[in-house]
Short mmCIF file of all heavy atoms in Angstrom, two decimals:
data_model
loop_
_atom_site.label_atom_id
_atom_site.label_comp_id
_atom_site.label_asym_id
_atom_site.label_seq_id
_atom_site.Cartn_x
_atom_site.Cartn_y
_atom_site.Cartn_z
N MET A 1 10.59 -8.21 8.37
CA MET A 1 9.34 -8.87 8.10
C MET A 1 8.23 -8.13 8.84
O MET A 1 8.38 -7.75 9.99
CB MET A 1 9.38 -10.33 8.55
CG MET A 1 8.05 -11.02 8.42
SD MET A 1 7.96 -12.64 9.19
CE MET A 1 8.67 -13.64 7.93
N MET A 2 7.11 -7.93 8.17
CA MET A 2 5.96 -7.30 8.80
C MET A 2 5.09 -8.34 9.49
O MET A 2 5.01 -9.48 9.04
CB MET A 2 5.11 -6.59 7.75
CG MET A 2 5.67 -5.30 7.28
SD MET A 2 4.48 -4.41 6.28
CE MET A 2 4.77 -5.14 4.69
N GLU A 3 4.47 -7.93 10.57
CA GLU A 3 3.53 -8.80 11.27
C GLU A 3 2.23 -8.04 11.46
O GLU A 3 2.22 -6.93 12.00
CB GLU A 3 4.10 -9.20 12.63
CG GLU A 3 3.20 -10.14 13.38
CD GLU A 3 3.79 -10.54 14.72
OE1 GLU A 3 5.00 -10.35 14.92
OE2 GLU A 3 3.04 -11.07 15.54
N LEU A 4 1.15 -8.62 11.01
CA LEU A 4 -0.16 -8.00 11.16
C LEU A 4 -0.70 -8.32 12.55
O LEU A 4 -0.78 -9.48 12.93
CB LEU A 4 -1.11 -8.55 10.08
CG LEU A 4 -2.47 -7.92 9.98
CD1 LEU A 4 -2.36 -6.44 9.62
CD2 LEU A 4 -3.29 -8.65 8.92
N ARG A 5 -1.02 -7.28 13.32
CA ARG A 5 -1.49 -7.48 14.69
C ARG A 5 -2.91 -6.97 14.92
O ARG A 5 -3.58 -7.43 15.82
CB ARG A 5 -0.56 -6.77 15.67
CG ARG A 5 0.81 -7.37 15.69
CD ARG A 5 1.67 -6.70 16.70
NE ARG A 5 3.01 -7.28 16.67
CZ ARG A 5 3.93 -6.99 17.52
NH1 ARG A 5 3.69 -6.12 18.47
NH2 ARG A 5 5.10 -7.55 17.43
N HIS A 6 -3.32 -6.01 14.13
CA HIS A 6 -4.64 -5.41 14.33
C HIS A 6 -5.20 -5.00 12.98
O HIS A 6 -4.49 -4.46 12.15
CB HIS A 6 -4.52 -4.17 15.24
CG HIS A 6 -5.82 -3.52 15.54
ND1 HIS A 6 -6.62 -3.89 16.58
CD2 HIS A 6 -6.49 -2.54 14.91
CE1 HIS A 6 -7.70 -3.15 16.59
NE2 HIS A 6 -7.66 -2.31 15.57
N ILE A 7 -6.49 -5.25 12.78
CA ILE A 7 -7.17 -4.84 11.56
C ILE A 7 -8.33 -3.94 11.97
O ILE A 7 -9.15 -4.32 12.79
CB ILE A 7 -7.73 -6.05 10.78
CG1 ILE A 7 -6.59 -6.97 10.33
CG2 ILE A 7 -8.56 -5.60 9.59
CD1 ILE A 7 -7.07 -8.28 9.73
N ALA A 8 -8.35 -2.75 11.42
CA ALA A 8 -9.46 -1.82 11.65
C ALA A 8 -10.01 -1.44 10.29
O ALA A 8 -9.28 -0.94 9.44
CB ALA A 8 -8.98 -0.59 12.40
N MET A 9 -11.29 -1.71 10.08
CA MET A 9 -11.92 -1.39 8.81
C MET A 9 -13.05 -0.40 9.04
O MET A 9 -13.87 -0.60 9.94
CB MET A 9 -12.48 -2.66 8.16
CG MET A 9 -11.42 -3.66 7.78
SD MET A 9 -12.10 -5.12 7.00
CE MET A 9 -12.69 -6.02 8.43
N VAL A 10 -13.08 0.65 8.23
CA VAL A 10 -14.15 1.64 8.27
C VAL A 10 -14.64 1.83 6.85
O VAL A 10 -13.85 2.20 5.97
CB VAL A 10 -13.67 2.98 8.87
CG1 VAL A 10 -14.79 4.01 8.84
CG2 VAL A 10 -13.14 2.78 10.28
N ASN A 11 -15.91 1.53 6.62
CA ASN A 11 -16.50 1.63 5.28
C ASN A 11 -15.70 0.84 4.25
O ASN A 11 -15.39 1.34 3.16
CB ASN A 11 -16.63 3.10 4.84
CG ASN A 11 -17.59 3.85 5.71
OD1 ASN A 11 -18.57 3.31 6.20
ND2 ASN A 11 -17.31 5.12 5.93
N TRP A 12 -15.35 -0.36 4.58
CA TRP A 12 -14.59 -1.24 3.69
C TRP A 12 -15.52 -2.34 3.20
O TRP A 12 -15.86 -3.26 3.93
CB TRP A 12 -13.38 -1.84 4.41
CG TRP A 12 -12.51 -2.63 3.52
CD1 TRP A 12 -12.59 -3.96 3.27
CD2 TRP A 12 -11.42 -2.16 2.73
NE1 TRP A 12 -11.64 -4.35 2.39
CE2 TRP A 12 -10.89 -3.27 2.04
CE3 TRP A 12 -10.84 -0.91 2.54
CZ2 TRP A 12 -9.82 -3.16 1.18
CZ3 TRP A 12 -9.76 -0.81 1.69
CH2 TRP A 12 -9.26 -1.93 1.02
N HIS A 13 -15.97 -2.24 1.99
CA HIS A 13 -16.86 -3.20 1.32
C HIS A 13 -18.10 -3.48 2.17
O HIS A 13 -18.95 -2.62 2.27
CB HIS A 13 -16.07 -4.45 0.97
CG HIS A 13 -16.76 -5.33 -0.03
ND1 HIS A 13 -17.20 -4.87 -1.24
CD2 HIS A 13 -17.11 -6.62 0.02
CE1 HIS A 13 -17.78 -5.86 -1.90
NE2 HIS A 13 -17.74 -6.94 -1.16
N LEU A 14 -18.21 -4.62 2.80
CA LEU A 14 -19.42 -4.99 3.57
C LEU A 14 -19.44 -4.44 4.98
O LEU A 14 -20.47 -4.50 5.66
CB LEU A 14 -19.53 -6.52 3.67
CG LEU A 14 -19.67 -7.30 2.37
CD1 LEU A 14 -19.62 -8.79 2.64
CD2 LEU A 14 -20.95 -6.94 1.65
N PHE A 15 -18.33 -3.88 5.46
CA PHE A 15 -18.21 -3.48 6.86
C PHE A 15 -18.35 -1.97 7.03
O PHE A 15 -17.67 -1.21 6.37
CB PHE A 15 -16.85 -3.91 7.43
CG PHE A 15 -16.65 -5.40 7.44
CD1 PHE A 15 -15.93 -6.02 6.44
CD2 PHE A 15 -17.17 -6.17 8.46
CE1 PHE A 15 -15.75 -7.40 6.44
CE2 PHE A 15 -16.99 -7.54 8.48
CZ PHE A 15 -16.27 -8.16 7.47
N ASP A 16 -19.22 -1.55 7.97
CA ASP A 16 -19.27 -0.14 8.34
C ASP A 16 -18.07 0.16 9.23
O ASP A 16 -17.26 1.02 8.92
CB ASP A 16 -20.57 0.19 9.07
CG ASP A 16 -21.78 0.11 8.15
OD1 ASP A 16 -21.64 0.39 6.95
OD2 ASP A 16 -22.86 -0.25 8.65
N VAL A 17 -17.98 -0.54 10.36
CA VAL A 17 -16.85 -0.42 11.28
C VAL A 17 -16.56 -1.80 11.85
O VAL A 17 -17.47 -2.50 12.29
CB VAL A 17 -17.15 0.55 12.45
CG1 VAL A 17 -16.01 0.58 13.43
CG2 VAL A 17 -17.45 1.94 11.93
N CYS A 18 -15.30 -2.21 11.81
CA CYS A 18 -14.92 -3.52 12.33
C CYS A 18 -13.49 -3.47 12.85
O CYS A 18 -12.60 -2.98 12.15
CB CYS A 18 -15.05 -4.57 11.23
SG CYS A 18 -14.63 -6.23 11.77
N ASP A 19 -13.27 -3.93 14.07
CA ASP A 19 -11.93 -4.03 14.66
C ASP A 19 -11.64 -5.49 14.95
O ASP A 19 -12.43 -6.17 15.60
CB ASP A 19 -11.83 -3.25 15.97
CG ASP A 19 -11.68 -1.77 15.74
OD1 ASP A 19 -10.86 -1.39 14.89
OD2 ASP A 19 -12.38 -0.99 16.42
N LEU A 20 -10.49 -5.98 14.48
CA LEU A 20 -10.08 -7.36 14.70
C LEU A 20 -8.67 -7.39 15.27
O LEU A 20 -7.78 -6.75 14.72
CB LEU A 20 -10.10 -8.15 13.39
CG LEU A 20 -11.41 -8.21 12.61
CD1 LEU A 20 -11.17 -8.81 11.24
CD2 LEU A 20 -12.42 -9.03 13.38
N GLU A 21 -8.48 -8.12 16.35
CA GLU A 21 -7.14 -8.36 16.89
C GLU A 21 -6.61 -9.64 16.24
O GLU A 21 -7.33 -10.63 16.15
CB GLU A 21 -7.18 -8.52 18.41
CG GLU A 21 -7.58 -7.26 19.13
CD GLU A 21 -6.59 -6.13 18.99
OE1 GLU A 21 -5.37 -6.39 18.88
OE2 GLU A 21 -7.04 -4.97 18.96
N VAL A 22 -5.38 -9.62 15.80
CA VAL A 22 -4.78 -10.75 15.11
C VAL A 22 -3.50 -11.14 15.83
O VAL A 22 -2.68 -10.28 16.15
CB VAL A 22 -4.45 -10.37 13.64
CG1 VAL A 22 -3.84 -11.53 12.90
CG2 VAL A 22 -5.69 -9.86 12.93
N ALA A 23 -3.32 -12.43 16.11
CA ALA A 23 -2.10 -12.89 16.77
C ALA A 23 -1.80 -14.32 16.34
O ALA A 23 -2.70 -15.16 16.30
CB ALA A 23 -2.26 -12.83 18.28
N GLY A 24 -0.57 -14.57 16.00
CA GLY A 24 -0.16 -15.93 15.65
C GLY A 24 -0.83 -16.44 14.40
O GLY A 24 -1.14 -15.70 13.48
N HIS A 25 -1.09 -17.72 14.38
CA HIS A 25 -1.77 -18.35 13.25
C HIS A 25 -3.27 -18.20 13.44
O HIS A 25 -3.79 -18.48 14.52
CB HIS A 25 -1.41 -19.83 13.16
CG HIS A 25 0.04 -20.07 12.94
ND1 HIS A 25 0.63 -19.91 11.72
CD2 HIS A 25 1.02 -20.44 13.80
CE1 HIS A 25 1.91 -20.18 11.82
NE2 HIS A 25 2.18 -20.51 13.08
N ILE A 26 -3.95 -17.75 12.41
CA ILE A 26 -5.39 -17.56 12.52
C ILE A 26 -6.09 -18.22 11.34
O ILE A 26 -5.49 -18.51 10.32
CB ILE A 26 -5.79 -16.07 12.58
CG1 ILE A 26 -5.40 -15.36 11.28
CG2 ILE A 26 -5.17 -15.39 13.77
CD1 ILE A 26 -6.00 -13.99 11.13
N GLY A 27 -7.36 -18.44 11.50
CA GLY A 27 -8.22 -18.92 10.43
C GLY A 27 -9.37 -17.95 10.27
O GLY A 27 -9.77 -17.29 11.23
N VAL A 28 -9.87 -17.84 9.07
CA VAL A 28 -11.00 -16.96 8.81
C VAL A 28 -12.18 -17.85 8.44
O VAL A 28 -12.20 -18.45 7.37
CB VAL A 28 -10.68 -15.95 7.68
CG1 VAL A 28 -11.84 -15.02 7.44
CG2 VAL A 28 -9.43 -15.15 8.01
N LEU A 29 -13.13 -17.96 9.35
CA LEU A 29 -14.28 -18.84 9.18
C LEU A 29 -15.57 -18.05 9.25
O LEU A 29 -15.66 -17.06 9.98
CB LEU A 29 -14.29 -19.89 10.30
CG LEU A 29 -13.03 -20.71 10.50
CD1 LEU A 29 -13.14 -21.53 11.77
CD2 LEU A 29 -12.76 -21.58 9.31
N GLY A 30 -16.59 -18.50 8.52
CA GLY A 30 -17.89 -17.85 8.60
C GLY A 30 -18.82 -18.32 7.51
O GLY A 30 -18.43 -19.05 6.60
N GLU A 31 -20.05 -17.89 7.63
CA GLU A 31 -21.08 -18.21 6.65
C GLU A 31 -20.75 -17.54 5.31
O GLU A 31 -19.95 -16.62 5.25
CB GLU A 31 -22.44 -17.70 7.14
CG GLU A 31 -22.90 -18.30 8.45
CD GLU A 31 -23.34 -19.74 8.31
OE1 GLU A 31 -23.86 -20.11 7.24
OE2 GLU A 31 -23.15 -20.50 9.26
N ASN A 32 -21.45 -18.00 4.26
CA ASN A 32 -21.33 -17.33 2.97
C ASN A 32 -21.73 -15.87 3.11
O ASN A 32 -22.65 -15.54 3.85
CB ASN A 32 -22.23 -18.00 1.92
CG ASN A 32 -21.74 -19.38 1.55
OD1 ASN A 32 -20.61 -19.75 1.84
ND2 ASN A 32 -22.59 -20.14 0.90
N ARG A 33 -21.03 -14.99 2.41
CA ARG A 33 -21.27 -13.55 2.40
C ARG A 33 -21.13 -12.91 3.78
O ARG A 33 -21.74 -11.88 4.07
CB ARG A 33 -22.63 -13.21 1.78
CG ARG A 33 -22.73 -13.65 0.35
CD ARG A 33 -23.72 -12.92 -0.52
NE ARG A 33 -23.97 -11.53 -0.24
CZ ARG A 33 -23.26 -10.50 -0.72
NH1 ARG A 33 -22.21 -10.71 -1.48
NH2 ARG A 33 -23.60 -9.27 -0.44
N SER A 34 -20.30 -13.49 4.65
CA SER A 34 -20.09 -12.90 5.98
C SER A 34 -18.88 -11.97 6.01
O SER A 34 -18.67 -11.29 7.00
CB SER A 34 -19.93 -14.00 7.03
OG SER A 34 -18.78 -14.78 6.77
N GLY A 35 -18.08 -11.96 4.93
CA GLY A 35 -16.96 -11.03 4.85
C GLY A 35 -15.58 -11.66 4.93
O GLY A 35 -14.59 -10.95 5.09
N LYS A 36 -15.48 -12.97 4.81
CA LYS A 36 -14.17 -13.64 4.91
C LYS A 36 -13.21 -13.13 3.84
O LYS A 36 -12.09 -12.72 4.15
CB LYS A 36 -14.33 -15.16 4.77
CG LYS A 36 -15.20 -15.80 5.83
CD LYS A 36 -15.37 -17.29 5.61
CE LYS A 36 -15.98 -17.65 4.28
NZ LYS A 36 -17.40 -17.33 4.11
N SER A 37 -13.64 -13.14 2.60
CA SER A 37 -12.78 -12.68 1.50
C SER A 37 -12.49 -11.19 1.60
O SER A 37 -11.40 -10.75 1.26
CB SER A 37 -13.44 -12.98 0.15
OG SER A 37 -13.57 -14.37 -0.04
N THR A 38 -13.44 -10.44 2.10
CA THR A 38 -13.24 -9.00 2.28
C THR A 38 -12.12 -8.73 3.26
O THR A 38 -11.26 -7.87 3.03
CB THR A 38 -14.55 -8.34 2.76
OG1 THR A 38 -15.56 -8.57 1.77
CG2 THR A 38 -14.38 -6.86 2.97
N VAL A 39 -12.09 -9.47 4.37
CA VAL A 39 -11.03 -9.30 5.37
C VAL A 39 -9.67 -9.66 4.76
O VAL A 39 -8.68 -8.95 4.94
CB VAL A 39 -11.30 -10.16 6.63
CG1 VAL A 39 -10.10 -10.18 7.55
CG2 VAL A 39 -12.54 -9.65 7.35
N LEU A 40 -9.60 -10.76 4.02
CA LEU A 40 -8.34 -11.17 3.40
C LEU A 40 -7.89 -10.18 2.35
O LEU A 40 -6.69 -9.86 2.24
CB LEU A 40 -8.49 -12.57 2.80
CG LEU A 40 -8.77 -13.68 3.82
CD1 LEU A 40 -9.03 -15.00 3.11
CD2 LEU A 40 -7.64 -13.80 4.82
N ASP A 41 -8.82 -9.65 1.54
CA ASP A 41 -8.46 -8.63 0.55
C ASP A 41 -7.92 -7.38 1.22
O ASP A 41 -6.93 -6.80 0.77
CB ASP A 41 -9.68 -8.26 -0.31
CG ASP A 41 -10.01 -9.29 -1.36
OD1 ASP A 41 -9.20 -10.21 -1.58
OD2 ASP A 41 -11.09 -9.18 -1.97
N MET A 42 -8.56 -6.93 2.29
CA MET A 42 -8.11 -5.74 2.99
C MET A 42 -6.71 -5.92 3.55
O MET A 42 -5.86 -5.07 3.40
CB MET A 42 -9.09 -5.41 4.11
CG MET A 42 -8.86 -4.07 4.78
SD MET A 42 -7.58 -3.99 6.03
CE MET A 42 -7.89 -5.43 6.97
N ALA A 43 -6.43 -7.08 4.15
CA ALA A 43 -5.10 -7.35 4.68
C ALA A 43 -4.07 -7.34 3.56
O ALA A 43 -2.97 -6.80 3.71
CB ALA A 43 -5.08 -8.69 5.41
N GLN A 44 -4.42 -7.90 2.42
CA GLN A 44 -3.50 -7.93 1.28
C GLN A 44 -3.20 -6.52 0.76
O GLN A 44 -2.06 -6.19 0.47
CB GLN A 44 -4.11 -8.79 0.17
CG GLN A 44 -3.16 -9.06 -0.94
CD GLN A 44 -3.73 -9.98 -2.00
OE1 GLN A 44 -3.17 -10.03 -3.05
NE2 GLN A 44 -4.81 -10.69 -1.76
N VAL A 45 -4.23 -5.68 0.69
CA VAL A 45 -4.03 -4.29 0.23
C VAL A 45 -3.09 -3.56 1.19
O VAL A 45 -2.16 -2.87 0.76
CB VAL A 45 -5.39 -3.56 0.12
CG1 VAL A 45 -5.19 -2.06 -0.06
CG2 VAL A 45 -6.19 -4.12 -1.04
N VAL A 46 -3.31 -3.72 2.49
CA VAL A 46 -2.47 -3.03 3.48
C VAL A 46 -1.04 -3.56 3.43
O VAL A 46 -0.08 -2.78 3.41
CB VAL A 46 -3.07 -3.19 4.90
CG1 VAL A 46 -2.08 -2.71 5.95
CG2 VAL A 46 -4.38 -2.43 4.99
N LEU A 47 -0.87 -4.87 3.41
CA LEU A 47 0.48 -5.45 3.45
C LEU A 47 1.27 -5.22 2.16
O LEU A 47 2.50 -5.28 2.18
CB LEU A 47 0.40 -6.94 3.78
CG LEU A 47 -0.08 -7.25 5.20
CD1 LEU A 47 -0.28 -8.75 5.38
CD2 LEU A 47 0.89 -6.72 6.23
N THR A 48 0.60 -4.96 1.05
CA THR A 48 1.31 -4.66 -0.21
C THR A 48 1.44 -3.16 -0.44
O THR A 48 1.93 -2.73 -1.47
CB THR A 48 0.60 -5.28 -1.43
OG1 THR A 48 -0.71 -4.73 -1.54
CG2 THR A 48 0.55 -6.79 -1.33
N GLY A 49 0.97 -2.37 0.52
CA GLY A 49 1.05 -0.93 0.38
C GLY A 49 0.13 -0.40 -0.72
O GLY A 49 0.35 0.68 -1.25
N GLY A 50 -0.87 -1.16 -1.08
CA GLY A 50 -1.80 -0.74 -2.12
C GLY A 50 -1.25 -0.89 -3.52
O GLY A 50 -1.86 -0.44 -4.48
N ASN A 51 -0.09 -1.53 -3.66
CA ASN A 51 0.54 -1.71 -4.97
C ASN A 51 -0.15 -2.84 -5.71
O ASN A 51 0.00 -4.01 -5.36
CB ASN A 51 2.02 -2.01 -4.79
CG ASN A 51 2.77 -2.03 -6.09
OD1 ASN A 51 2.21 -2.28 -7.15
ND2 ASN A 51 4.07 -1.77 -6.02
N ARG A 52 -0.90 -2.51 -6.75
CA ARG A 52 -1.68 -3.53 -7.48
C ARG A 52 -0.80 -4.55 -8.18
O ARG A 52 -1.28 -5.63 -8.54
CB ARG A 52 -2.60 -2.84 -8.48
CG ARG A 52 -3.67 -2.05 -7.80
CD ARG A 52 -4.56 -1.38 -8.82
NE ARG A 52 -5.51 -0.54 -8.13
CZ ARG A 52 -6.81 -0.64 -8.30
NH1 ARG A 52 -7.30 -1.50 -9.14
NH2 ARG A 52 -7.62 0.16 -7.64
N ARG A 53 0.44 -4.25 -8.38
CA ARG A 53 1.36 -5.19 -9.02
C ARG A 53 1.53 -6.46 -8.20
O ARG A 53 1.76 -7.55 -8.73
CB ARG A 53 2.71 -4.50 -9.21
CG ARG A 53 3.75 -5.34 -9.86
CD ARG A 53 5.00 -4.52 -10.08
NE ARG A 53 6.11 -5.41 -10.33
CZ ARG A 53 7.36 -5.07 -10.19
NH1 ARG A 53 7.67 -3.86 -9.81
NH2 ARG A 53 8.31 -5.93 -10.42
N PHE A 54 1.38 -6.34 -6.88
CA PHE A 54 1.60 -7.48 -5.98
C PHE A 54 0.30 -8.05 -5.42
O PHE A 54 0.34 -8.95 -4.59
CB PHE A 54 2.50 -7.07 -4.83
CG PHE A 54 3.85 -6.61 -5.28
CD1 PHE A 54 4.20 -5.28 -5.20
CD2 PHE A 54 4.76 -7.50 -5.82
CE1 PHE A 54 5.45 -4.84 -5.62
CE2 PHE A 54 5.99 -7.07 -6.26
CZ PHE A 54 6.34 -5.74 -6.16
N GLN A 55 -0.84 -7.54 -5.84
CA GLN A 55 -2.11 -7.97 -5.28
C GLN A 55 -2.77 -9.03 -6.15
O GLN A 55 -2.72 -8.97 -7.36
CB GLN A 55 -3.08 -6.79 -5.16
CG GLN A 55 -2.65 -5.77 -4.15
CD GLN A 55 -3.57 -4.56 -4.17
OE1 GLN A 55 -4.57 -4.54 -4.84
NE2 GLN A 55 -3.19 -3.56 -3.41
N ARG A 56 -3.40 -9.98 -5.50
CA ARG A 56 -4.23 -11.01 -6.16
C ARG A 56 -5.54 -11.08 -5.38
O ARG A 56 -5.76 -12.01 -4.60
CB ARG A 56 -3.54 -12.37 -6.17
CG ARG A 56 -2.21 -12.41 -6.87
CD ARG A 56 -2.38 -12.26 -8.39
NE ARG A 56 -1.11 -12.36 -9.08
CZ ARG A 56 -0.35 -11.32 -9.42
NH1 ARG A 56 -0.73 -10.11 -9.13
NH2 ARG A 56 0.78 -11.49 -10.06
N LEU A 57 -6.39 -10.07 -5.54
CA LEU A 57 -7.61 -9.99 -4.77
C LEU A 57 -8.62 -11.03 -5.21
O LEU A 57 -8.62 -11.48 -6.36
CB LEU A 57 -8.22 -8.59 -4.90
CG LEU A 57 -7.34 -7.43 -4.45
CD1 LEU A 57 -8.08 -6.11 -4.63
CD2 LEU A 57 -6.89 -7.60 -3.03
N THR A 58 -9.50 -11.39 -4.29
CA THR A 58 -10.57 -12.34 -4.58
C THR A 58 -11.67 -11.66 -5.38
O THR A 58 -11.62 -10.46 -5.62
CB THR A 58 -11.18 -12.90 -3.28
OG1 THR A 58 -11.84 -11.83 -2.62
CG2 THR A 58 -10.13 -13.50 -2.38
N GLY A 59 -12.68 -12.37 -5.74
CA GLY A 59 -13.80 -11.82 -6.49
C GLY A 59 -14.62 -10.81 -5.71
O GLY A 59 -15.42 -10.08 -6.28
N ALA A 60 -14.45 -10.74 -4.40
CA ALA A 60 -15.23 -9.83 -3.57
C ALA A 60 -15.01 -8.38 -3.96
O ALA A 60 -15.89 -7.55 -3.82
CB ALA A 60 -14.89 -10.03 -2.09
N PHE A 61 -13.83 -8.07 -4.47
CA PHE A 61 -13.50 -6.69 -4.79
C PHE A 61 -13.20 -6.48 -6.26
O PHE A 61 -12.57 -5.52 -6.64
CB PHE A 61 -12.30 -6.23 -4.00
CG PHE A 61 -12.65 -5.21 -2.95
CD1 PHE A 61 -11.88 -5.06 -1.84
CD2 PHE A 61 -13.76 -4.39 -3.10
CE1 PHE A 61 -12.19 -4.13 -0.88
CE2 PHE A 61 -14.08 -3.46 -2.15
CZ PHE A 61 -13.29 -3.33 -1.03
N SER A 62 -13.62 -7.38 -7.10
CA SER A 62 -13.28 -7.25 -8.51
C SER A 62 -14.17 -6.26 -9.25
O SER A 62 -13.91 -5.93 -10.39
CB SER A 62 -13.37 -8.62 -9.20
OG SER A 62 -14.70 -9.10 -9.11
N GLY A 63 -15.21 -5.77 -8.59
CA GLY A 63 -16.17 -4.99 -9.29
C GLY A 63 -16.22 -3.57 -9.13
O GLY A 63 -16.72 -2.81 -9.84
#
């Protein structure tokens, strides 16, 4: 089983550079258009190895 511990984003959708430490159970909270869906989409892409067959991305990256 894989465990996500650190997220580093560079030029990923709304983020120029962003580092997030992840541990245990987490919640993603924030204002509208603050990047919540972007963070979840990025984690999904990484954890599926970029295989679109297993991805269900949000509307943030549909375009």
Side-chain angles (χ1 to χ4, degrees):
M1 174 190 277
M2 283 190 275
E3 182 179 344
L4 187 62
R5 294 182 182 187
H6 182 88
I7 298 172
M9 296 181 281
V10 177
N11 296 327
W12 186 269
H13 196 54
L14 299 174
F15 297 98
D16 291 328
V17 176
C18 181
D19 282 314
L20 303 170
E21 294 295 327
V22 180
H25 298 283
I26 63 168
V28 181
L29 307 171
E31 300 287 328
N32 290 345
R33 298 204 32 86
S34 63
K36 299 177 301 290
S37 296
T38 300
V39 170
L40 297 175
D41 283 350
M42 189 279 315
Q44 189 176 164
V45 168
V46 170
L47 292 173
T48 62
N51 187 335
R52 292 180 185 234
R53 180 176 163 200
F54 300 109
Q55 293 174 7
R56 301 290 183 265
L57 301 181
T58 67
F61 250 154
S62 62

